[in-house]
């Protein structure tokens, strides 16, 4: 059971619950704060006009709602906005969305009855996933449509995914003894008015982007080994004079990964020795191509982008992002726009651009390994069979190239795609959930590209008989990956093996796997 801290989630909390199946347990202090906040609102709202309690919503806020219709108003809001379309969100995204909504509401500024967080906790712990559609809100008055589908399930309506099947919520609740949420004051608005869909997707994106970066670092290190690169481009001395944190962290990680390698060369031994340089032309490269030599300068900004995105998205998880804010400590209700998703929208755009760049680096390293005219070390397309008759990795390069091209197109920012709507009440919007979902697609695509790079590295390691010369970390991962992608000489259909490797990459942090340094 994962005991939830009083008011703060971390990225590792999300990873443990979403990917490792840990259960959540709200502390008594959280429930007590929510109870106090709810009691304050019930008393404070009497004889006052407060948005979303006794008014319509959005541009209809000018209309007062009669006392006898206040609870029906909240049900109407949830049902009317359950209008999503497109594909259903994946269960892991829905669980992350629910964690994000829990993170906001448990701050104790939403005026809701504690039953809201109790039902959310039940759904998370019992692996009940509300059917939430990808196409919905515009990310300004929150992820209204996606969160309305969450609200629909909380009140016992709609459908859920349970035991890998779409089933009526009512039936699953009865089977699991879950009591549907009742409406007390403003539960409908508090559930749907927030950034939790884009933020939930964003947290999953960050978990996967960090794995992706770790794999890129490891595969880049192994690529440098197999081409027998020089060690100065990731040296402390070269990188420390450029003062970016990410670049220096990447160089430190590369040095750690490559400890014990018998393939990485020293420039002092090979090019600073007068006896070895007494010639006019050198067949060996004095400097490697940029995709090999500039890894710290390319992955450094990506490291920094992920680090900053994590700070921002985790802050959003632990923020009050609905409207109005119910402040029982200052005994007031404040109207504003904390539901606006600009922070997440912008970070998701930056993240997908960074991940696309990572995939571009992988594709260039892959091309170097496959093109014998560039590497002058390995057969064309890492072909271990008969040239002309067999094809090696040739057919696998095409999906890598086309997938990177798709990433490049997807990397145009959503953040600048504001379209006014809602009778121009929402006249500038974030499109944050769209941005987060597109970023997820870019990350998923990039795992495909790195999968093909990994398979190619396995083939060239065997061609050159480098297995025993690799750094210990590289050798350990080589053996792991070879179990999934065996050496091949004759042509076989590789798609199932590629899928197995991709699944392994997605589910494994290589730095944890080899107990190396992590971000």
């Amino acid at each position: 059971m994962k005991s939830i801290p009083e008011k703060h989630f971390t990225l590792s909390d999300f990873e443990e619950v979403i990917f490792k199946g840990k259960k959540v347990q709200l502390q008594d202090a959280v429930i007590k704060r929510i109870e106090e906040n709810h009691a304050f609102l019930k008393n404070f709202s009497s004889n006052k006009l407060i948005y979303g309690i006794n008014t319509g919503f959005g541009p209809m806020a000018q209309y007062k709602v009669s006392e006898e219709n206040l609870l029906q108003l909240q049900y109407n809001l949830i049902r009317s906005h359950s209008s999503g379309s497109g594909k259903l969100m994946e269960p892991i995204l829905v669980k992350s969305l629910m964690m994000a909504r829990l993170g906001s509401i448990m701050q104790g500024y939403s005026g809701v009855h504690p039953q809201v967080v109790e039902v959310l906790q039940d759904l998370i712990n019992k692996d009940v996933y509300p059917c939430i559609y990808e196409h919905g809100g515009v990310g300004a008055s929150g992820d209204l449509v996606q969160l309305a589908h969450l609200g629909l399930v909380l009140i016992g309506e709609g459908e859920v995914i349970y035991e890998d099947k779409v089933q009526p919520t009512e039936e699953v609740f009865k089977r699991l003894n879950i009591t549907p949420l009742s409406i007390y004051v403003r539960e409908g608005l508090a559930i749907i008015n927030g950034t939790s869909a884009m933020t939930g997707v964003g947290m999953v994106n960050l978990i996967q982007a960090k794995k992706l970066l770790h794999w890129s670092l490891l595969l880049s290190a192994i690529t440098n080994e197999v081409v027998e690169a020089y060690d100065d481009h990731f040296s402390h001395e070269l990188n420390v004079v450029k003062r970016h944190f990410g670049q220096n962290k990447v160089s430190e990680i590369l040095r750690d990964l490559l400890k014990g390698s018998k393939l990485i060369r020293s420039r002092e031994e090979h090019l600073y020795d007068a006896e070895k340089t007494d010639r006019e032309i050198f067949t060996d490269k004095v400097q490697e191509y940029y995709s090999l030599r500039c890894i710290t300068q390319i992955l450094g900004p990506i490291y920094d982008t992920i680090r900053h995105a994590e700070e921002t998205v985790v802050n959003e998880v632990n923020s009050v992002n609905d409207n109005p804010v119910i402040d029982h400590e200052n005994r007031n209700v404040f109207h504003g726009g904390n539901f606006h998703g600009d922070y997440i929208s912008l970070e998701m755009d930056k993240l997908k651009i960074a991940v696309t760049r990572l995939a571009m680096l992988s594709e260039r390293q892959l091309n170097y390994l496959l093109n014998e005219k560039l590497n002058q070390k390995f057969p064309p397309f890492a072909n271990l069979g008969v040239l002309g008759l067999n094809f090696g990795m040739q057919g696998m390069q095409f999906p890598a190239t086309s997938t990177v091209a798709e990433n490049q197109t997807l990397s145009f920012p959503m953040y600048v795609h504001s379209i006014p709507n809602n009778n121009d009440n929402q006249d500038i919007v974030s499109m944050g959930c769209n941005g987060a979902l597109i970023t997820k697609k870019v990350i998923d695509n990039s795992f495909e590209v790195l999968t093909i790079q990994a398979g190619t590295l396995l083939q060239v390691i065997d061609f050159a008989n480098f297995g025993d010369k690799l750094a210990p970390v590289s050798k350990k991962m080589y053996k792991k990956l070879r179990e999934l992608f065996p050496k091949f000489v004759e042509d076989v259909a590789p798609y199932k093996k590629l899928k197995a490797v991709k699944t392994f990459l997605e589910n494994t942090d290589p730095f944890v796997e080899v107990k190396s340094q992590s971000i």
Side-chain angles (χ1 to χ4, degrees):
M1 187 72 72
K2 177 72 178 175
S3 179
I4 298 301
E6 186 173 341
K7 291 179 66 178
H8 188 75
F9 277 130
T10 65
L11 190 64
S12 63
D13 290 331
F14 269 65
E15 187 167 13
E16 286 186 9
V17 172
I18 296 165
F19 290 97
K20 299 178 183 178
K22 295 286 181 69
K23 308 298 183 186
V24 299
Q25 178 64 56
L26 292 170
Q27 294 184 9
D28 292 341
V30 172
I31 302 298
K32 182 181 177 183
R33 181 177 178 85
I34 292 171
E35 286 174 342
E36 291 173 353
N37 187 255
H38 175 67
F40 162 75
L41 179 63
K42 285 182 70 175
N43 293 327
F44 183 86
S45 60
S46 178
N47 300 317
K48 295 181 180 70
L49 188 73
I50 299 177
Y51 174 75
I53 293 178
N54 53 6
T55 73
F57 299 101
M60 308 301 287
Q62 308 310 115
Y63 296 89
K64 187 174 181 179
V65 177
S66 60
E67 186 80 19
E68 66 271 18
N69 288 322
L70 296 186
L71 299 186
Q72 188 61 45
L73 173 68
Q74 301 295 317
Y75 285 109
N76 289 351
L77 178 66
I78 291 172
R79 290 166 179 154
S80 67
H81 283 65
S82 295
S83 56
S85 61
K87 296 178 181 178
L88 288 175
M89 281 191 179
E90 297 174 25
I92 61 165
L93 300 182
V94 175
K95 181 175 273 193
S96 188
L97 176 155
M98 291 191 288
M99 288 279 288
R101 201 76 210 115
L102 187 61
S104 178
I105 291 174
M106 77 182 194
Q107 304 302 312
Y109 288 94
S110 298
V112 299
H113 191 278
Q115 192 190 6
V116 173
V117 294
E118 290 165 358
V119 180
L120 276 172
Q121 180 178 270
D122 266 348
L123 298 182
I124 292 167
N125 287 345
K126 295 177 180 179
D127 294 326
V128 179
Y129 307 106
C131 287
I132 298 175
Y133 295 87
E134 290 186 351
H135 292 168
V138 295
S141 195
D143 298 311
L144 290 175
V145 174
Q146 287 91 343
L147 295 180
H149 282 278
L150 170 63
L152 194 67
V153 167
L154 291 177
I155 63 174
E157 300 177 14
E159 294 82 35
V160 297
I161 299 172
Y162 181 65
E163 295 179 337
D164 298 322
K165 294 184 292 186
V166 174
Q167 305 180 51
T169 302
E170 185 179 7
E171 293 179 9
V172 174
F173 275 24
K174 285 179 180 176
R175 200 185 325 164
L176 299 178
N177 198 29
I178 298 173
T179 302
L181 172 69
S182 297
I183 297 296
Y184 297 88
V185 182
R186 69 176 297 268
E187 283 72 23
L189 182 59
I191 290 164
I192 82 167
N193 208 199
T195 62
S196 300
M198 65 178 82
T199 304
V201 176
M203 290 291 272
V204 173
N205 287 345
L206 282 166
I207 292 166
Q208 294 305 95
K210 290 177 82 169
K211 290 178 189 172
L212 195 63
L213 176 58
H214 294 173
W215 279 113
S216 180
L217 284 160
L218 180 56
L219 296 180
S220 293
I222 298 173
T223 302
N224 269 273
E225 285 190 273
V226 298
V227 303
E228 298 177 276
Y230 292 108
D231 61 3
D232 49 351
H233 67 79
F234 54 87
S235 67
H236 170 77
E237 293 78 7
L238 181 127
N239 288 281
V240 75
V241 296
K242 197 159 185 180
R243 299 186 180 276
H244 299 295
F245 180 85
Q247 176 174 336
N248 281 277
K249 193 67 177 175
V250 166
S251 70
E252 179 185 340
I253 292 170
L254 287 174
R255 291 193 297 275
D256 187 56
L257 291 172
L258 290 168
K259 282 178 183 173
S261 174
K262 298 174 184 175
L263 295 169
I264 296 294
R265 295 186 291 173
S266 166
R267 191 173 296 273
E268 284 85 352
E269 292 180 14
H270 290 271
L271 295 179
Y272 291 176
D273 185 334
E275 293 183 5
K276 296 180 180 179
T277 58
D278 187 18
R279 66 187 79 169
E280 293 298 320
I281 299 175
F282 295 88
T283 55
D284 209 2
K285 289 182 174 59
V286 176
Q287 292 192 118
E288 296 84 5
Y289 284 85
Y290 287 3
S291 61
L292 304 172
R293 180 168 30 119
C294 300
I295 291 167
T296 63
Q297 294 85 0
I298 295 169
L299 293 184
I302 296 169
Y303 183 105
D304 284 335
T305 299
I306 294 173
R307 189 166 60 104
H308 186 268
E310 179 179 348
E311 178 184 351
T312 301
V313 179
V314 170
N315 279 343
E316 187 71 23
V317 164
N318 297 300
S319 296
V320 180
N321 51 54
D322 63 5
N323 179 60
V325 169
I326 316 302
D327 188 345
H328 63 282
E329 293 175 341
N330 291 302
R331 307 199 67 76
N332 209 338
V333 173
F334 298 97
H335 294 69
N338 280 355
F339 49 62
H340 219 281
D342 273 43
Y343 273 106
I344 303 301
S345 182
L346 180 57
E347 290 305 319
M348 289 299 102
D349 281 349
K350 289 158 61 179
L351 183 61
K352 73 182 178 185
I353 290 168
V355 170
T356 292
R357 186 66 166 171
L358 181 152
M360 291 166 62
L361 175 66
S362 174
E363 187 277 331
R364 288 293 82 199
Q365 292 173 344
L366 170 66
N367 184 69
Y368 184 86
L369 295 171
L370 296 178
N371 189 335
E372 82 286 0
K373 298 180 182 66
L374 296 179
N375 62 64
Q376 298 178 357
K377 293 175 74 72
F378 312 119
F381 304 108
N383 185 351
L384 306 188
V386 178
L387 298 184
L389 175 64
N390 298 116
F391 291 88
M393 299 292 295
Q394 182 175 339
M396 288 172 255
Q397 185 179 17
F398 298 122
T401 305
S402 65
T403 303
V404 169
E406 182 180 54
N407 276 5
Q408 290 169 325
T409 297
L410 292 174
S411 290
F412 190 86
M414 281 301 303
Y415 187 59
V416 295
H417 272 300
S418 178
I419 300 175
N421 67 111
N422 196 231
N423 278 10
D424 278 346
N425 172 54
Q426 298 183 15
D427 58 348
I428 183 165
V429 299
S430 76
M431 300 295 184
C433 196
N434 286 0
L437 288 167
I438 293 171
T439 301
K440 183 182 183 300
K441 173 67 172 172
V442 168
I443 291 169
D444 291 345
N445 282 352
S446 299
F447 275 110
E448 294 179 11
V449 179
L450 267 65
T451 292
I452 296 165
Q453 181 186 3
T456 301
L457 281 168
L458 298 176
Q459 290 293 99
V460 301
I461 288 169
D462 284 352
F463 170 80
N465 199 25
F466 279 160
D468 291 333
K469 296 181 179 180
L470 295 171
V473 169
S474 304
K475 188 174 182 179
K476 184 172 183 179
M477 200 50 62
Y478 161 80
K479 290 179 178 178
K480 284 267 184 188
L481 291 169
R482 260 305 184 216
E483 293 173 7
L484 302 170
F485 194 88
K487 176 181 177 181
F488 70 95
V489 176
E490 300 299 326
D491 294 315
V492 292
Y495 63 96
K496 291 181 180 178
K497 295 184 181 67
L498 290 172
K499 184 177 180 180
V501 173
K502 185 195 174 195
T503 300
F504 177 74
L505 300 189
E506 289 175 322
N507 294 327
T508 307
D509 186 327
F511 290 2
V512 173
E513 185 75 19
V514 297
K515 293 184 172 59
S516 182
Q517 181 174 353
S518 184
I519 288 181

